[in-house]
Amino acid sequence: MNHDQDRDRLSAPHSPGAGQPGTCTCETPPGGVLLYRLRGDHLGSIDFDKPLDGFRAVLVDFTDAGFFGSTALDALLGLRLDAQENGLPVHISAPPPLAARVLQLTGADTLFPRHASLDEALSALT
């Protein structure tokens, strides 16, 4: 088995976004929460670029995300710093096992309140 076949086998259906390039969309549900939804399997460069004025909290949802590497982690940590400067907490919801492991190995898991699901997070924040 070559390297590409190995990678494909390992990334196969572990998430709803398996095999899809990563995307990040932004929503503003009621309650003053800025919601970023991560989707796809290969989360590379993520733009958390919405102004934080007027929000009570930021939520990053991983429900449809797959692999979460160092570039995505760097963007998440940058978002946390920006939010912290504005007095906002950054919560995360439904991180898949690989993302949770990256957060744990880097110690970043202690920086973000974590919720098992998007619904749970929104209920806690609104």
Side-chain angles (χ1 to χ4, degrees):
M1 186 178 295
N2 69 32
H3 178 69
D4 289 336
Q5 289 171 322
D6 225 11
R7 186 189 71 235
D8 291 344
R9 183 179 55 80
L10 290 173
S11 67
H14 69 325
S15 75
Q20 299 174 9
T23 62
C24 177
T25 59
C26 183
E27 300 173 25
T28 54
V33 175
L34 175 60
L35 170 62
Y36 285 104
R37 289 183 187 246
L38 305 181
R39 293 187 173 97
D41 199 35
H42 305 287
L43 294 168
S45 178
I46 299 172
D47 292 322
F48 296 117
D49 55 3
K50 178 113 173 139
L52 300 175
D53 300 335
F55 294 101
R56 295 183 316 98
V58 179
L59 173 59
V60 179
D61 178 51
F62 286 82
T63 300
D64 296 321
F67 179 74
F68 181 77
S70 61
T71 304
L73 175 62
D74 189 47
L76 183 63
L77 292 172
L79 171 63
R80 182 180 177 273
L81 287 175
D82 290 344
Q84 195 172 30
E85 288 176 4
N86 287 279
L88 303 176
V90 177
H91 292 241
I92 59 174
S93 63
L98 287 175
R101 185 73 175 138
V102 167
L103 293 169
Q104 179 188 30
L105 288 172
T106 59
D109 61 330
T110 63
L111 302 175
F112 302 95
R114 190 162 115 181
H115 305 273
S117 70
L118 176 58
D119 288 339
E120 179 186 299
L122 289 172
S123 291
L125 293 170
T126 56

